[in-house]
Amino acid sequence: SDRAYWWGDDPAAVCAYANGADLDAKAQLPQLSANTACHDGYVFTSPVGRFRPNPFGLYDTTGDAWSWTADCANDSYVGAPTDGSANLGGDCGQHILRGGSKLNDPTYLRAARRIWHLNDVRSFNHGLRVARTL
């Protein structure tokens, strides 16, 4: 996307599209620095398909849990494949996570936001998406 979020540029719309750190989470977890002034209805993980799908018809691509990808850690996209395949160059002892989580404010739910961790890191805040070719 060339927008801040896959749904556009308005961070205030996040509660219609993703489970992030909102007023529901802030009420139960006051230590959160949530600055999303809306209610998505969930403090922790939400049921599958609760939020609107992205333009490709995929649900739950933002929020809930950071999604592990096959991309190896890199500081930039320089030299990355342009065909959608995984970037297997760089530090493959760490992999990229995308999508933000239920504990993140909208700055982490942006389309361009990514983090990376060592491959053996485990967290209730990380997950993966299983996909198959039809």
Side-chain angles (χ1 to χ4, degrees):
S1 175
D2 62 353
R3 311 298 294 270
Y5 307 92
W6 63 257
W7 59 84
D9 291 319
D10 183 7
V14 68
C15 287
Y17 298 94
N19 181 13
D22 65 335
L23 295 174
D24 296 310
K26 184 74 170 173
Q28 286 194 31
L29 304 167
Q31 68 275 21
L32 282 180
S33 61
N35 63 359
T36 307
C38 60
H39 296 272
D40 65 24
Y42 303 95
V43 175
F44 299 106
T45 307
S46 62
V48 173
R50 160 54 180 88
F51 300 96
R52 296 179 191 167
N54 71 14
F56 299 105
L58 299 174
Y59 289 85
D60 309 317
T61 59
T62 305
D64 263 344
W66 286 94
S67 296
W68 285 102
T69 72
D71 290 338
C72 297
N74 286 279
D75 289 330
S76 73
Y77 292 108
V78 174
T82 57
D83 63 359
S85 62
N87 187 355
L88 302 177
D91 179 359
C92 291
Q94 301 184 79
H95 276 76
I96 301 292
L97 292 101
R98 290 183 144 322
S101 85
K102 58 197 160 284
L103 301 178
N104 294 130
D105 65 41
T107 57
Y108 288 90
L109 302 177
R110 294 184 62 242
R113 189 62 177 230
R114 61 194 188 113
I115 62 172
W116 54 86
H117 279 295
L118 293 170
N119 296 340
D120 61 357
V121 167
R122 301 295 176 260
S123 171
F124 72 95
N125 222 21
H126 298 162
L128 58 98
R129 177 179 289 270
V130 176
R132 69 180 181 141
T133 302
L134 297 176

